[in-house]
Amino acid sequence: MKVIKMNDNTRFKIKEVKAREILDCRGNPTIEVDVITEDNVLGRADAPSGRSRGRYEAFELRDGNARYAGRGVLKALKNIKEIIAPALRGRDVRNQREIDAVMIELDGTENKSRLGANAIVATSLAVAKAAANALSLPLYRYIGGPNAHMLPVPMLILITGGKLAATDLDFQEFSAMPIGAKSFSEAIRIGTEVYFKLGELLAKKYSKYALNVGDEGSYAPPGMKDPRDAFEIILKAIEELGYEEMFVLAMDAAASHLYDEKKGKYHLMGKELTREELLEVYEDLVKTFPLKSIEDPFHEDDFKGFAEITKTLNVQIVGDDLFATNIKRLMKGIEIGAANALLLKVNQVGTLTEALDAASLALKHGYSVIVSERSGQTEDNWLADLAVAVNAGQLKNGAPCRSERTAQFNQLLRIEEELGKSAKYAGRSYRQPIC
Ligand code: PGA
Ligand code: ZN
């Protein structure tokens, strides 16, 4: 038997925390953190960044000067170097909760605006990666433990509008979910085939310019205005391939960005709609199409509206800007039955611990969890591991193209191979994965 000496723990201690400015998929600077242990084990993680951001998200610190059009992150880097690194040195990388709590306390603000949530989130994730590497465990296994085995259904964003593409579509994302596949690899294959087929159909109907893509790699067809046109052509692509039994549809309305606070109305296709009228639009879409998931149907303060639509429509209602991966907001939603699913974005809240707490709270109350990208990603692939770690059952990660997206899908293909027979694809039980 190996006798573990007290000082064996020394190798888990943080020797150094280094940070640098790198670029995300939009060319915007973001933060990459290296956490290095006494044993010289490295944990490296990047902070993602949103564009269609919610009001209640943790604060992303940017320089606001001439460099990179104000988007530099040197202030955040300085905070890591001068404040976070000295406080983390000597701490055990396996103590994620303690380390995240230290950073939260050092920051001291409600929304992490002193140190910057981008500085904190990259450090938090780099700590987790360093711990996984020091223990020679894959990240999903380290975070999720022995039961992490569920491969998520990818919510494949096929057409984009709103803030994430230069189109006339007001709603932000039109997606397909390959729930009928037997495995994650089959889901990616048939999803990608649909993406190709949709490209052909769009080019024919909307000109070759329809093949230009938005921030999440999805098509951005010029002249398409009506959400029904988006769903119709996606369905056509699915049907032409004979996959109608394999897919359901999903959307992100990102309605906070359609809402005129002064008038209390939503802009949609050149009209001004009340909440009730917008609800009718959703009802109609759900009746017409196999649409099974609607994200942010109303603006981020309308908990009541979310509760009403959750009661009225028998589909997944997802809170993104509504919850901002924030426990307090999620609790408020759970109390009144607002939404029935949480979009989990680690950088919305700022630490891995808080994100994991939000995921457990959601699952405990029968809410589904969709682990999600940001429209600004890097090639870092911790997101894929996180989806398996929490057995979420769903992952929103954009289209099956562009390296910042395929970095996640490819990592999931590797995890599926590594898990072998233990891997389970969430498939039709995506809302409450059956283990
Ligand atoms: P974001 O958009 O990453 O730009 O916030 C994605 C979303 O709204 O879900
Ligand atoms: Zn959203």
Side-chain angles (χ1 to χ4, degrees), residues 43-237:
R44 171 175 292 164
D46 304 345
S49 171
R51 170 173 279 166
S52 162
R53 252 178 264 159
R55 185 182 285 172
Y56 299 100
E57 295 194 18
F59 185 81
E60 192 179 76
L61 183 60
R62 299 217 176 251
D63 299 338
N65 56 13
R67 291 180 76 249
Y68 283 118
R71 295 176 212 145
V73 290
L74 297 185
K75 281 187 196 162
L77 290 190
K78 194 165 178 267
N79 289 342
I80 295 176
K81 193 169 168 225
E82 293 177 4
I83 302 168
I84 295 177
L88 263 45
R89 222 165 276 140
R91 290 184 192 271
D92 190 315
V93 280
R94 296 168 300 178
N95 292 339
Q96 186 75 39
R97 262 198 114 77
E98 173 199 302
I99 288 175
D100 286 344
V102 165
M103 291 195 284
I104 291 168
E105 204 182 315
L106 279 175
D107 177 83
T109 67
E110 189 61 30
N111 64 350
K112 304 191 173 62
S113 54
R114 183 163 104 89
L115 301 178
N118 41 352
I120 295 175
V121 82
T123 311
S124 174
L125 290 161
V127 165
K129 282 198 184 181
N133 292 342
L135 291 162
S136 303
L137 287 173
L139 186 62
Y140 67 88
R141 176 71 61 228
Y142 169 66
I143 296 176
N147 200 34
H149 70 290
M150 186 66 63
L151 273 292
V153 172
M155 203 174 244
L156 296 162
I157 308 171
L158 300 174
I159 294 179
T160 334
K163 275 189 168 328
L164 301 183
T167 61
D168 299 318
L169 284 164
D170 298 307
F171 292 152
Q172 186 174 287
E173 292 160 2
F174 301 87
S175 308
M177 303 174 69
I179 60 164
K182 295 275 172 297
S183 62
F184 181 77
S185 45
E186 189 190 5
I188 283 298
R189 176 179 63 77
I190 63 176
T192 308
E193 288 170 11
V194 169
Y195 183 72
F196 295 157
K197 177 58 79 184
L198 178 63
E200 278 171 37
L201 298 178
L202 286 171
K204 254 189 242 157
K205 193 165 174 193
Y206 293 89
S207 88
K208 63 182 180 184
Y209 301 109
L211 300 181
N212 290 335
V213 298
D215 282 351
E216 294 157 314
S218 336
Y219 299 119
M224 186 188 273
K225 284 198 182 81
D226 193 321
R228 284 167 297 195
D229 292 341
F231 284 132
E232 227 157 71
I233 200 158
I234 292 174
L235 259 194
K236 191 160 179 237

Side-chain angles (χ1 to χ4, degrees), residues 26 49-54 57 164 172-173 216 252 254 295-296 320-321 343 345 372-376 396:
R26 280 192 279 249
S49 171
R51 170 173 279 166
S52 162
R53 252 178 264 159
E57 295 194 18
L164 301 183
Q172 186 174 287
E173 292 160 2
E216 294 157 314
D252 182 1
E295 182 177 326
D296 283 350
D320 171 15
D321 293 350
L343 200 78
K345 289 172 164 169
S372 173
E373 47 96 52
R374 299 309 307 246
S375 53
K396 186 168 97 156

Side-chain angles (χ1 to χ4, degrees), residues 288-359:
T288 318
F289 300 100
L291 173 62
K292 299 293 178 198
S293 178
I294 305 177
E295 182 177 326
D296 283 350
F298 302 118
H299 72 84
E300 59 211 332
D301 288 305
D302 192 7
F303 278 86
K304 270 200 191 135
F306 271 78
E308 194 183 325
I309 190 171
T310 308
K311 239 192 307 154
T312 315
L313 299 183
N314 186 23
V315 298
Q316 176 169 267
I317 301 294
V318 186
D320 171 15
D321 293 350
L322 178 77
F323 296 138
T325 315
N326 180 307
I327 290 259
K328 283 188 200 148
R329 296 185 65 81
L330 179 60
M331 275 182 0
K332 186 169 163 189
I334 289 168
E335 264 166 38
I336 64 159
N340 50 33
L342 164 76
L343 200 78
L344 190 82
K345 289 172 164 169
V346 183
N347 79 322
Q348 270 183 336
V349 64
T351 62
L352 179 60
T353 301
E354 290 165 289
L356 291 174
D357 283 349

Side-chain angles (χ1 to χ4, degrees), residues 364-427:
K364 215 179 278 168
H365 289 86
Y367 275 49
S368 308
V369 173
I370 303 145
V371 171
S372 173
E373 47 96 52
R374 299 309 307 246
S375 53
Q377 288 280 135
T378 69
E379 59 277 20
D380 192 350
N381 59 16
W382 53 260
L383 190 71
D385 283 75
L386 182 64
V388 178
V390 298
N391 288 325
Q394 299 178 71
L395 169 76
K396 186 168 97 156
N397 177 48
C401 73
R402 299 189 14 155
S403 303
E404 79 280 4
R405 317 279 142 198
T406 54
Q408 316 304 332
F409 292 138
N410 293 342
Q411 174 71 352
L412 285 163
L413 292 171
R414 284 178 214 115
I415 295 175
E416 184 171 67
E417 181 188 301
E418 186 173 281
L419 286 172
K421 286 209 172 82
S422 314
K424 171 110 198 268
Y425 177 59

